Amino acid sequence: MGIKALDYESLNENVKKVQYAVRGELYLRASELQKEGKKDVSLYDFLESTSVLGEHVVALCQAPFLLDDPNVGLLFPADAIARAKHYLSLTSGGLGAYSDSRGIPGIRKEVAEFIERRDGYPSDPELIYLTDGASKGVMQTLNCIIRGEGDGILVPVPQYPLYSATISLLGGSLVPYYLEETANWGLDINDLRQSVAQARMKGITVRAMVIINPGNPTGQCLSEANLREILTFCYQENLVLLGDEVYQQNVYQDERPFISSRKVLMDMGPPISKEVQLISFHTVSKGYWGECGQRGGYFEMTNIPPQTVDEIYKIASIALSPNVPAQIFMGLMVNPLKPGDISYQQFLRERKKGFHFSVIGDTAHREVHNKGILESLRRRARIMTDGFNSCKNVVCNFTEGAMYSFPQIRLPPKAIEAAKKAGKVPDVFYCLKLLEATGISTVPGSGFGQKEGVFHLRTTILPAEEDMPAIMSSFKKFNDEFMEQYEDNWNHSRM
């Protein structure tokens, strides 16, 4: 018998090139430890629902016969009942029926109204597509842009591996531009120009630029001035800008509040506002909602030619429709309760809750605390940053936004040598040792990209605030003992 199509030797080579560290070796080892019952491993990379209203509305939409029950008002608040009836009226046959491939028109209209309130400029529902999470929208867009390995996409490094993985899968070329750690993960336009020039010398046509704002894994927020520079650069270089803005509600400082790429683009006026092609992404997975399992998202197109919009619709239609319950969650996220609504006070209480996300196996558990979410997350970001900076050979920038800390781990030469002997990348070696010793599961920086010879790890700021000191104490004990074990009188100045 010859080699079959799904034998490893004959697989699509692009599939073999894909790397995805967020669910890679560390995640798999942590899962094994959980199954063995050897460790109480916390995987701080998962969110769960924080919206009772959303759950009520979707429950009623999934079981519309409940709306005919005379006792429905005893189980569900009146505004949840009204919202369920509203969304059912927008569907062609309930949640079990396909929707338009672009998403339910009435919900796309609600998204457009949200964008207009946020940015101060009208938004066209026909240029908004609902998707199964922001990730699917990113993949659809890159599929339209990448024609082959000669096409390059500018991606920030460190980056969320969705981008490197998708570019590999589609056979394109990732063109890195490095964020500057010593400048709080800032972006230098001169570095961007150098990245483009180097790619062109290799025969690569740079076609698009990705920004992640607020940043994942780096947690920085782009200033309005930086966004203006980026948009001017895209205008000069004729690049499409892909704005990953899924953490726009997660900002923990006041100096650089979130401002959308689209608003800055519109504020700049012609010719830039009429010429730069922009696609922006958002999701129900982050922010106050944490509905990551629902897989709801959208992308909005700005200055994209009508013929191209038609082609993107054709690609979207291959999947027939995005999942309908998630579309309803998106509608609820962009059209939240207002003062006077029966459940408005409960909605405010939910927004003011602190929250703890952890995972035991596949079951998410939430601990709710009577503290403001953003205030609590600010404090957690500070506790974690200060904790990392108190450790030997560790330095960490403050988490301005998103939900991640990305400390640099200054590994001694003996540790790097031990990692090589074990057949591991040095930061993977460190993270595995950390996992085995403490049960703390992190993602090595090599999974996101980093400068040669520099090592990081990514963790989130999501553990419960009262647990943070113990977690950081456990981390510090492990780290300092690790450094003593491998240091051999080695001393290295921090960046």
Side-chain angles (χ1 to χ4, degrees), residues 82-385:
R83 286 292 188 100
K85 290 179 178 177
H86 163 68
Y87 285 116
L88 283 171
S89 75
L90 298 179
T91 68
S92 56
L95 270 61
Y98 291 128
S99 76
D100 186 292
S101 298
R102 297 162 291 190
I104 296 168
I107 295 177
R108 287 189 282 128
K109 182 173 181 289
E110 291 180 343
V111 173
E113 290 165 351
F114 157 78
I115 293 170
E116 182 170 352
R117 288 193 306 273
R118 184 194 67 188
D119 295 344
Y121 295 96
S123 175
D124 184 353
E126 296 301 304
L127 299 176
I128 294 167
Y129 282 27
L130 304 183
T131 53
D132 293 337
S135 299
K136 280 293 175 67
V138 169
M139 295 173 77
Q140 284 180 23
T141 303
L142 289 174
N143 197 18
C144 292
I145 293 172
I146 295 171
R147 301 166 300 183
E149 64 182 357
D151 285 344
I153 309 295
L154 274 167
V155 177
V157 174
Q159 53 98 32
Y160 183 60
L162 163 69
Y163 294 96
S164 53
T166 303
I167 292 166
S168 292
L169 190 61
L170 297 173
S173 295
L174 186 148
V175 179
Y177 65 92
Y178 288 91
L179 303 177
E180 184 48 60
E181 186 168 8
T182 55
N184 207 28
W185 298 112
L187 184 158
D188 189 323
I189 293 296
N190 292 324
D191 290 343
L192 268 179
R193 296 191 193 285
Q194 191 173 3
S195 294
V196 171
Q198 289 174 348
R200 286 174 178 161
M201 286 175 62
K202 297 174 184 175
I204 295 171
T205 302
V206 182
R207 288 170 57 81
M209 175 180 175
V210 173
I211 58 170
I212 307 174
N213 181 40
N216 178 5
T218 47
Q220 87 289 358
C221 295
L222 293 175
S223 67
E224 181 175 355
N226 221 172
L227 286 166
R228 291 172 71 91
E229 284 185 307
I230 290 165
L231 287 160
T232 300
F233 174 78
C234 289
Y235 174 70
Q236 293 168 343
E237 300 293 340
N238 204 25
L239 303 177
V240 180
L241 182 62
L242 307 181
D244 182 333
E245 299 175 337
V246 301
Y247 293 103
Q248 60 188 260
Q249 290 175 297
N250 301 97
V251 177
Y252 314 124
Q253 39 71 43
D254 301 318
E255 292 75 26
R256 278 180 299 282
F258 171 77
I259 180 168
S260 74
S261 305
R262 182 177 178 274
K263 174 172 172 50
V264 177
L265 178 63
M266 294 296 105
D267 284 350
M268 292 177 77
I272 288 179
S273 64
K274 298 289 187 183
E275 293 289 334
V276 173
Q277 296 181 344
L278 168 67
I279 299 187
S280 306
F281 305 91
H282 198 12
T283 182
V284 300
S285 295
K286 316 299 179 188
Y288 298 110
W289 284 68
E291 292 286 354
C292 47
Q294 298 290 348
R295 309 311 302 135
Y298 75 76
F299 63 86
E300 182 197 25
M301 297 171 276
T302 302
N303 295 328
I304 308 299
Q307 282 184 302
T308 301
V309 174
D310 290 344
E311 293 301 314
I312 293 172
Y313 169 72
K314 183 174 67 179
I315 297 301
S317 67
I318 293 172
L320 294 175
S321 82
N323 82 83
V324 177
Q327 295 184 52
I328 292 173
F329 270 104
M330 178 58 72
L332 290 163
M333 186 188 84
V334 299
N335 186 21
L337 290 165
K338 300 171 182 64
D341 290 342
I342 293 168
S343 298
Y344 181 69
Q345 291 304 316
Q346 182 180 3
F347 169 69
L348 287 184
R349 286 194 296 272
E350 287 172 11
R351 285 182 55 155
K352 290 179 180 177
K353 291 171 184 174
F355 54 98
H356 168 216
F357 299 110
S358 64
V359 167
I360 307 298
D362 290 326
T363 305
H365 303 275
R366 178 177 61 197
E367 296 174 11
V368 178
H369 310 278
N370 294 320
K371 303 166 187 172
I373 287 178
L374 290 178
E375 287 76 11
S376 177
L377 285 172
R378 283 186 191 218
R379 291 192 295 270
R380 289 182 240 184
R382 179 53 64 196
I383 293 168
M384 186 163 275
T385 303

Side-chain angles (χ1 to χ4, degrees), residues 11-61:
L11 288 180
N12 180 343
E13 288 299 319
N14 291 337
V15 172
K16 298 179 187 178
K17 293 176 186 175
V18 170
Q19 301 290 326
Y20 197 73
V22 174
R23 295 297 178 92
E25 183 176 1
L26 266 292
Y27 171 83
L28 295 173
R29 179 59 184 146
S31 300
E32 287 174 8
L33 290 173
Q34 288 175 330
K35 289 174 185 174
E36 294 168 9
K38 292 181 180 177
K39 296 281 183 183
D40 180 16
V41 180
S42 295
L43 299 174
Y44 298 123
D45 232 9
F46 292 78
L47 305 177
E48 68 158 325
S49 165
T50 60
S51 169
V52 174
L53 174 72
E55 292 164 353
H56 281 166
V57 173
V58 172
L60 287 166
C61 290

Side-chain angles (χ1 to χ4, degrees), residues 454-470:
V454 181
F455 306 105
H456 299 83
L457 61 81
R458 188 191 79 167
T459 187
T460 78
I461 60 170
L462 295 179
E465 189 175 337
E466 64 265 29
D467 293 340
M468 279 287 207

